[in-house]
Structures are given as structure tokens and as C-alpha cells.
Amino acid sequence: MADTTDLSAILPRVLIVSRRCIRKNKFVDFVGEYHLDLIVNYGAVPVIVPRVTGVHMLLESFEPIHGVLLCEGEDIDPSLYESETSGLSPEELDEIRKLHASDTAIDKEKDSIELRLAKLCLERNIPFLGICRGSQILNVASGGTLYQDVEKELPKESPEIETVLHIDYDNYDGHRHRVKVIEGTPLSDWFKNEEESGKKEILVNSYHHQGVRKLAERFSPMAFSPDGLIEGFYDPNSYNPEEGKFIMGLQFHPERMRQPYSDEFDYPGCPCAYQEFVKAVIAYKKKKTTQLAINSLNVEHMKEMERKRIAIARSFSFARVIYKGNFHDDDEFKESDHDLEAGAQFLESNSAILSLQEEKRLKQIGATVRNASAYLDKLKMNEEREKMMKKMSVEQLSELVSFYHIMGNICSDLLHTKIRHCQ
């Protein structure tokens, strides 16, 4: 049992929002098994966030969050990214709803949950991987926009541009189309041995009718389909898996690019997005854990420094009381003797930056504070002397004052001579 507990504390947590469907007249929340398998296989724990009303207000309860993976789902509410009315006619919108009935039923609760998570990742630099709808959420969260329907809205610059089928309901898993991979991007690194010779192209699957229209400024594209649609993008300033940095969106599904009736991938590079994502998640957790440990040490250090400050302040305060001659309780002095030691040590240990004269003076004060018991004895002797002085005549007092004046001058001359010698 202890081993299981330890393991759960060691492995990083990746949040994945479920998709809701209706089964036997009941709502069912699910996440595709391929996503879960890859996250677990590469060393992280998937934590499913249920699509339940109000969950978007409870996301703090899922902390700590070391990574977020957003994947399939319905169309994103157009009001979240369209600043003006779409150019699609009511007839065209109705046609789209009929053709893509399973996707056009907008789920505002899922939108709220996922947009909050995406923005949280962007604010904290938490590793984020968006697949299909997840990539669209990432773009919208960063200020980008979408085509409500690629087929009807994607502009055709010339008749020669190839028309791309981005979803084929009759050949759902088997359908593929070409994408051109941009050199120097992570996607190019993952598929560098798999691109067709000289063309920098790979074949990908596709299950969407929407896509990126305006890419948010912070992102750079990684791949385009022949019709010009962006098929992958990332934040180059937030990409370094070894350091826990990973912000990326892929319009296609590399986890489902597999051979028919097999779990073998079309390309060895297909699972790399998940592998690098989890690598970043692990590094992010390690970095945060280290930071928490440092913060904890800093807190303890600050507490210790505060304890020392209080002890030194108390020591000086106690010494001041002694010097003023207002301290006459031997029992209380014995209980507070260690307070004087703190002040004496502080005075002696902080004399390095002082002049020799100042250093000697501080050491004298420190010694006086440390030996306050002897000083108390002197105070008591002074009290006895004062009693005796009250009985002395004016002539006797005058002689005593003259004696102290002479002794003071002798001591002053002697101290000045020693100081000049030390300098």
C-alpha cells in the first residue's frame, strides 16, 4: 500500500477533459483509450475532468496540474472567437448542421472548462497538448479564430489548389490526406525519416470540419494541408521538453494513425507528440517540486532569521535596562542570561566591516553585555557608595570629585595613546 501511495505522489498529473455522449438515454463521459494509453506508457497519470455542470469553477480542486491534454469534442461556440457575424447564410448553416450533426451540437460547459484550462496553461507555462478540437481551443484561448466550416469558408486562391477532404464518414479511420511539414519545427524532427523524399510531406488522418482561420500571434505553423489549412502549430518560445516547456496544437490525430486491424503506427514518429509532451510534463513537475522545496527552505530560513532577530532585540533591550540601573532582580537575571549572550555574539560577529577602533569598542560592549552579572555587582557597589556619599561632608565630596577628574584625564590620555598606536 505504501509503494502505491509513493508512486502516486511521484508521477506527474495530466488533466484530460471528457467528452459527453448519450447512451441508453443516459449521459456518458469518456476519453479515447489511445490518449490514456500513451500518457500512462510514457510515465504520467491521466486525471479525467468530467464534463459536469459547474466543474469550470472547481478546477483548483484538481491541483497539482503538471500538464493538460485536450482532444476531441463538439464544435466550439462561434461567439467565443467571432467578432462579427459569419458570412455563412442560414441555409448554409442548416446544411452544415445536417451534414455534421454529431459535432455541431455546441457544448458550452465543455467550452468553459477547456478554455479555462488552456488559459491556465498559457499563464503558468504548464505543458499543453491540443489534438483536433484541443488545438482549436488553444488557438481561441490565445486570441485566434476558426473557420466554422472549412469546406465552405476556406478561400480557394486559384483553381489549381487541391481540394482536401478533411473528414470522410464512409472511411472514418482509414482516410488520409497529405500535409507539408515545415522544416525546423518539432513536427519535422519527429517525422524527419518518414517524409517523402524531397517533399517534406506525410499522410495524416482527419476528423474535422472546422479549423484555424487566423493563427494567434504567439504561435508558428508546423504543417499545412494542400488547401492551405494549418494542420499543426506550436509556441517556439515555450518549447523545450527537457525544461518542462511544451505548448502545441495538432489538427490531426497521430494517436490514431495506425495500420488497419493493428496497433502499429503509420510512422514511428506518430507517438512522438505524446512522448515529448510527457517528457515536458515530468520536467515541469520536477521543476515545481524543486521550487516548492526551495520555497520551503526559504520559509524556514526566514523563520530562523526572525527568531534570531527577536533574540538579539531582546538582548539589547535587556542590556539597556541593566545600563539604566533599573534591573535589580537576581532571579530574573539568571533566567534571562542567555538573552544577553545573543546580543554579545551578534556584536562580535558583525565587526569585520568596522574600523579597528569601532571593532574594539563593540567587543568591549559585547563583553560588558556577556558579563552583565559582574556589572550588576558594580551597580550594587555603587548603590552602597551613594549611601556612603550622602554621609560625607562638602569638603570630602570636593576632594572625591577632584580625584575622579584627575583619574578621568589619565584614562582618557591612555586610551588616545593606545588608539594611535593601533592605527
Side-chain angles (χ1 to χ4, degrees), residues 16-23 25-32 48-55 71-75 101-111 113-114 133:
I16 309 176
V17 181
S18 66
R19 182 177 185 179
R20 171 167 285 188
C21 68
I22 297 178
R23 183 174 181 270
N25 298 321
K26 299 291 182 182
F27 287 123
V28 175
D29 282 15
F30 70 95
V31 175
I48 298 177
V49 179
R51 182 259 169 253
V52 178
T53 302
V55 166
C71 37
E72 55 267 308
E74 295 80 4
D75 292 350
S102 62
D103 292 330
T104 51
I106 292 171
D107 187 339
K108 292 188 176 183
E109 187 65 30
K110 185 175 173 69
D111 288 347
I113 297 170
E114 295 191 340
R133 169 192 157 96

Side-chain angles (χ1 to χ4, degrees), residues 181 183 185-197 200 202 269 272:
V181 179
E183 282 193 81
T185 63
L187 200 64
S188 176
D189 292 337
W190 301 338
F191 290 89
K192 60 185 176 182
N193 297 323
E194 299 144 18
E195 299 158 345
E196 294 182 14
S197 56
K200 299 294 180 184
I202 58 173
C272 284

Side-chain angles (χ1 to χ4, degrees), residues 14 65-66 75 77 149 174 193 215 240 245 295 387 403:
V14 174
I65 302 171
H66 304 122
D75 292 350
D77 185 354
D149 187 80
N193 297 323
L215 187 64
N240 191 330
K245 297 179 181 180
N295 291 343
K387 291 177 182 179
F403 172 75

Side-chain angles (χ1 to χ4, degrees), residues 39-168:
I39 294 297
V40 171
N41 288 341
Y42 287 122
V45 174
V47 178
I48 298 177
V49 179
R51 182 259 169 253
V52 178
T53 302
V55 166
H56 68 280
M57 301 298 293
L58 304 172
L59 292 178
E60 289 183 359
S61 64
F62 289 91
E63 298 275 7
I65 302 171
H66 304 122
V68 172
L69 167 65
L70 299 183
C71 37
E72 55 267 308
E74 295 80 4
D75 292 350
I76 300 169
D77 185 354
S79 67
L80 295 172
Y81 58 85
E82 286 292 353
S83 58
E84 56 188 36
T85 306
S86 169
L88 296 171
S89 67
E91 292 77 19
E92 287 176 318
L93 290 172
D94 188 56
E95 181 183 344
I96 292 168
R97 292 189 192 99
K98 290 179 180 178
L99 182 60
H100 306 286
S102 62
D103 292 330
T104 51
I106 292 171
D107 187 339
K108 292 188 176 183
E109 187 65 30
K110 185 175 173 69
D111 288 347
S112 296
I113 297 170
E114 295 191 340
L115 280 172
R116 278 179 178 266
L117 282 175
K119 290 177 180 178
L120 185 68
C121 290
L122 294 170
E123 291 168 4
R124 296 191 194 173
N125 287 320
I126 299 173
F128 179 101
L129 175 59
I131 301 294
C132 196
R133 169 192 157 96
S135 68
Q136 297 170 12
I137 282 282
L138 178 60
N139 189 48
V140 171
S142 303
T145 63
L146 305 176
Y147 292 114
Q148 286 193 51
D149 187 80
V150 171
E151 184 179 353
K152 294 187 178 297
E153 292 187 287
L154 186 64
K156 302 295 189 296
E157 296 179 0
S158 67
E160 292 77 23
I161 291 182
E162 181 181 337
T163 299
V164 177
L165 188 64
H166 289 278
I167 187 168
D168 185 351

